[in-house]
Amino acid sequence: MTQVLFYGCLFITFSPILAFFFMVIAKNSQLVILTIGGSFFWLVSILISAIWWYIIPPMREQWWFIISFSVLFQEIFRYIFYRLYSYGFNDRPSLNQIKETRHQMALDSMRKRKQQNGGSSSNEIESINNEINNNNNNNNNDDDENKEITEEEKEKIKIEKQKQREIEISARLETLSARPNHTLSSAAIGVGSGVAYGFIMFGSILWESTGPGTLFSPACPTVNLFMLSSIITLFMTLLHVVYNVLAFQGYRSKKYHLVAFVIITHFVTTYLTLLNLPTKTTSCFGSVFTVGVITLFSVGFCIFSLLKSDSITKIH
């Protein structure tokens, strides 16, 4: 049963966020890099929190002190990452903008060709008449002229192929230099921090489930400790994605009420995990149920704010 418990808790915790990674993020190399960057910045924030916890020995047993500074450092590094992201990507055109400019350039070139063809119609008629008159005098030199025409056509075909290759290469370079969608970028960064959170905070607990026997939470003796931790970690990983999307949208559009919502919700959900401590006044049901409700509300609020600001369907 230990292997079943291990894989069951593993799939419960990481299936949604890894499915989103492989189905959406893994298809874009820039989003993968942002995901790695998000996990790195989260690890740095936790490292600084651990150093802060270590240098103040009297506060090591005070959970409110540890949690408050841990959340504070995470939000600070989230803002630092946003500044780096805005510095590197805000000035770049999006892929849709590049497609629009290409389409507009193609339309302009077609219009120019039509204008040139329309203006030179009389010249073409005169040239055709001259060719008809000259054909009667140049019947003996038809073979040589055909050879020259075919050689010229071959050269024109080669030139056109080279131009097409240059256009394709430039289009690929423009596509690679294009920035990804802002919403997907912020979600990718949130996925990185969420996966890092899951493996660091839950990985050590999950590994213990492979041993003989099982453990139960003192705050909720009828619930398996590993299953309880996996459900809470699932909610937290999803919240990391939501936090990052809302925070980046708030910073980008200067809607600071979204940033305030992220910070307050982050503090509340983290403090709610203290209900799992083995005391007489705590209850694991209150922790899991409350965090689950906050997660559902946060996801709905995130989708509503994106639709309201047209961030999902916005081209630029």
Side-chain angles (χ1 to χ4, degrees):
M1 291 297 291
T2 55
Q3 296 295 327
V4 175
L5 179 63
F6 173 80
Y7 287 108
C9 294
L10 180 67
F11 293 144
I12 288 173
T13 304
F14 296 106
S15 291
I17 198 166
L18 291 180
F20 179 75
F21 175 81
F22 287 109
M23 294 178 66
V24 179
I25 297 173
K27 296 180 180 180
N28 191 317
S29 59
Q30 292 179 341
L31 294 179
V32 174
I33 294 172
L34 290 174
T35 302
I36 297 171
S39 61
F40 173 76
F41 270 74
W42 186 87
L43 290 172
V44 172
S45 66
I46 293 300
L47 177 62
I48 294 177
S49 300
I51 294 172
W52 187 257
W53 169 82
Y54 182 77
I55 62 178
I56 306 178
M59 304 301 293
R60 292 179 184 177
E61 301 296 330
Q62 304 295 327
W63 291 105
W64 62 268
F65 174 81
I66 299 170
I67 289 175
S68 60
F69 279 96
S70 175
V71 174
L72 181 62
F73 285 130
Q74 289 180 48
E75 295 302 327
I76 290 172
F77 275 88
R78 194 194 310 277
Y79 178 73
I80 293 172
F81 199 170
Y82 167 75
R83 298 302 302 175
L84 291 175
Y85 171 81
S86 61
Y87 177 78
F89 285 97
N90 277 352
D91 294 334
R92 290 188 180 184
S94 64
L95 184 59
N96 290 325
Q97 286 176 332
I98 291 173
K99 290 180 180 179
E100 284 184 354
T101 53
R102 285 185 202 157
H103 183 66
Q104 189 63 35
M105 290 173 65
L107 291 175
D108 293 337
S109 63
M110 289 175 65
R111 289 173 184 172
K112 289 180 180 179
R113 289 177 183 176
K114 287 181 180 179
Q115 291 176 357
Q116 291 176 358
N117 293 329
S120 61
S121 60
S122 60
N123 294 327
E124 288 179 355
I125 293 170
E126 292 179 358
S127 63
I128 290 169
N129 292 326
N130 292 326
E131 287 178 358
I132 293 170
N133 294 325
N134 291 325
N135 284 332
N136 295 324
N137 298 323
N138 296 325
N139 290 326
N140 295 324
N141 297 324
D142 287 340
D143 295 334
D144 296 334
E145 288 179 357
N146 289 329
K147 290 180 181 179
E148 292 177 356
I149 291 170
T150 54
E151 290 177 356
E152 290 178 356
E153 287 179 352
K154 288 180 180 179
E155 291 179 357
K156 289 180 180 179
I157 291 170
K158 289 181 181 179
I159 293 170
E160 288 179 357
K161 287 182 178 180
Q162 290 178 356
K163 289 182 179 180
Q164 289 178 356
R165 289 177 182 175
E166 291 177 356
I167 292 170
E168 289 178 357
I169 292 170
S170 62
R172 290 178 182 177
L173 292 174
E174 288 177 352
T175 302
L176 291 174
S177 63
R179 62 166 172 81
N181 180 271
H182 285 310
T183 303
L184 288 178
S185 299
S186 57
I189 298 169
V191 168
S193 59
V195 171
Y197 170 87
F199 278 105
I200 297 299
M201 297 299 182
F202 182 58
S204 59
I205 299 174
L206 182 62
W207 181 252
E208 296 296 331
S209 65
T210 58
T214 186
L215 294 175
F216 292 90
S217 174
C220 198
T222 59
V223 180
N224 190 296
L225 176 63
F226 304 112
M227 185 63 66
L228 179 65
S229 300
S230 66
I231 295 172
I232 293 177
T233 308
L234 168 64
F235 292 147
M236 289 298 182
T237 54
L238 296 177
L239 283 173
H240 272 284
V241 180
V242 173
Y243 292 158
N244 217 76
V245 172
L246 288 175
F248 274 44
Q249 184 186 3
Y251 290 132
R252 186 172 59 252
S253 59
K254 296 182 180 180
K255 296 179 180 179
Y256 296 109
H257 65 279
L258 298 177
V259 181
F261 174 83
V262 169
I263 295 173
I264 294 171
T265 308
H266 199 174
F267 272 103
V268 171
T269 53
T270 308
Y271 277 114
L272 283 173
T273 58
L274 295 178
L275 295 176
N276 295 321
L277 293 176
T279 60
K280 295 181 180 180
T281 59
T282 57
S283 173
C284 65
F285 176 78
S287 174
V288 174
F289 178 77
T290 310
V291 173
V293 171
I294 293 174
T295 302
L296 293 176
F297 176 78
S298 299
V299 172
F301 179 71
C302 180
I303 296 172
F304 173 76
S305 63
L306 291 175
L307 292 174
K308 186 177 180 181
S309 62
D310 200 23
S311 295
I312 295 177
T313 59
K314 188 179 289 184
I315 294 175
H316 305 303

